[in-house]
Amino acid sequence: MTDNLYFFMVAVTIFFSFSIFLAILIFAIKYRRRSPDEVPPQFHGPPALELAWTLGPLVIVMIMFAWGAHVYFAVSTPPENALQIYGVGKQWMWKLQHMEGQREINELHIPVGVPVKVTLTSEDVIHSFFVPDFRTKSDVLPGRYTTVWFEATKPGRYHLFCAEYCGTRHSGMTGWIYAMEPHDYQAWLSGGASEGSMAAGGQKLFQDLGCASCHLPDGRGRAPSLVGVFGSAVKLANGSTVKADEAYIRESILQPNTKIAAGFQPIMPTFQGLVTEEGVTQLIEYVRSLGQPQAAAPGAAASTETKAPPAARPQPDAK
């Protein structure tokens, strides 16, 4: 898709470059001054010719614009059935994790013929996830999620680079993507050592951090229930609404007072520095696993803020 647009633009460039050069050569010979006293007659082209060389390039440029917009939206919108993988850039390596729990460093195994969505963030500085064979390149920023997707069409080993200078060992931040037949991928997935799925790891972390003491499933705790919240619309205390996606859940864990859910007080502490980027992604997958978005009351929307405790209840500790 991207290649076809590129080749079309190259072909148009070559055609017009050759045509213009040829016209200059012909006109330079045909209309040259043959004597010092010669005064060439004035020539006025027909209106049709004027319209042709004005509207012709306009049509071609509009074709490029429409084609480019189509490619952009297709590249920036992962398919719904895409295989989800999380990645973290760190000086000087790529750390990637599958939903089933398998972790890889500077390597990524994927099935052929299946769209793959990689949600990326950085642990330190700006990196750039670059896979030339898949026509995929995107900056990876600290504190923000970047999503890229691609689909391998044939088995093989493909280069993975960091295309943004990130320190003295930037040139060594390389890796490989292994595209495998689906049955080979399943065999690799089942044969690798795993500590459980990402959602299971997130559930354990959720318990260890004491989140379960406030985020009760029935919504009666000091924090809203997280059941069915992922992907739903969350009403905030300032009257606005935000979608509970990966970025919102991450922000609610690390900066809980930025967006406060309606009906709750900002008494949750930050977990900035206490939870790694891998831990945050595990918590996100745990929240995602708690069900599909439901038409619930605004008070049941997802957030890491908590309800104001009753007067007789002591202020909760920082958990």
Side-chain angles (χ1 to χ4, degrees):
M1 183 167 52
T2 304
D3 287 352
N4 292 335
L5 174 59
Y6 173 76
F7 291 141
F8 173 75
M9 296 175 70
V10 170
V12 169
T13 302
I14 293 174
F15 172 77
F16 278 101
S17 298
F18 177 77
S19 300
I20 292 172
F21 175 79
L22 183 62
I24 292 174
L25 181 63
I26 292 174
F27 291 168
I29 297 174
K30 183 177 181 179
Y31 299 106
R32 69 188 185 277
R33 174 177 276 187
R34 291 172 171 80
S35 68
D37 300 328
E38 181 183 2
V39 178
Q42 294 294 321
F43 175 80
H44 297 281
L49 181 60
E50 298 280 352
L51 288 174
W53 69 43
T54 301
L55 296 180
L58 175 62
V59 171
I60 295 174
V61 170
M62 292 306 297
I63 290 175
M64 292 181 181
F65 171 78
W67 197 346
H70 172 73
V71 171
Y72 171 78
F73 286 116
V75 169
S76 61
T77 307
E80 293 292 335
N81 63 336
L83 179 69
Q84 174 71 58
I85 293 173
Y86 282 97
V88 177
K90 178 183 179 181
Q91 294 173 319
W92 288 271
M93 67 180 71
W94 294 107
K95 299 187 291 183
L96 300 138
Q97 186 169 11
H98 300 254
M99 293 298 97
E100 293 78 7
Q102 279 78 0
R103 298 172 183 266
E104 303 187 73
I105 295 180
N106 291 336
E107 290 186 351
L108 176 61
H109 290 75
I110 61 172
V112 170
V114 177
V116 177
K117 172 185 173 183
V118 186
T119 302
L120 297 155
T121 189
S122 171
E123 200 169 287
D124 36 48
V125 298
I126 299 177
H127 299 284
S128 186
F129 190 85
F130 181 35
V131 188
D133 290 302
F134 296 157
R135 309 300 187 262
T136 298
K137 179 180 178 295
S138 182
D139 286 347
V140 181
L141 309 176
R144 184 184 303 179
Y145 284 125
T146 300
T147 300
V148 298
W149 80 274
F150 47 82
E151 181 177 343
T153 57
K154 61 181 180 180
R157 187 175 72 158
Y158 304 95
H159 271 294
L160 167 63
F161 297 99
C162 174
E164 182 73 30
Y165 181 74
C166 55
T168 56
R169 294 175 58 190
H170 160 70
S171 61
M173 191 171 173
T174 61
W176 296 97
I177 293 182
Y178 296 91
M180 314 167 71
E181 293 293 349
H183 60 275
D184 294 331
Y185 172 74
Q186 289 300 327
W188 173 86
L189 204 61
S190 59
S194 173
E195 300 176 357
S197 67
M198 288 189 66
Q203 182 180 19
K204 182 178 183 302
L205 190 57
F206 190 82
Q207 298 289 339
D208 293 343
L209 294 174
C211 307
S213 63
C214 294
H215 291 278
L216 301 181
D218 58 8
R220 297 182 180 181
R222 294 172 293 189
S225 170
L226 301 179
V227 176
V229 69
F230 191 90
S232 65
V234 178
K235 186 176 181 180
L236 303 179
N238 60 8
S240 62
T241 302
V242 65
K243 182 180 179 181
D245 56 8
E246 292 92 346
Y248 172 73
I249 301 299
R250 181 185 188 279
E251 185 180 54
S252 296
I253 295 170
L254 303 180
Q255 300 175 12
N257 295 330
T258 303
K259 295 182 177 69
I260 304 171
F264 296 89
Q265 294 296 324
I267 62 175
M268 175 180 165
T270 177
F271 287 93
Q272 184 84 46
L274 301 178
V275 182
T276 64
E277 288 293 346
E278 289 91 338
V280 172
T281 56
Q282 288 178 340
L283 288 170
I284 291 173
E285 282 307 305
Y286 172 62
V287 174
R288 189 200 299 267
S289 72
L290 293 178
Q292 298 299 319
Q294 302 171 356
S303 176
T304 53
E305 289 76 31
T306 57
K307 286 182 178 179
R313 180 184 295 173
Q315 190 76 2
D317 55 8
K319 289 187 179 180

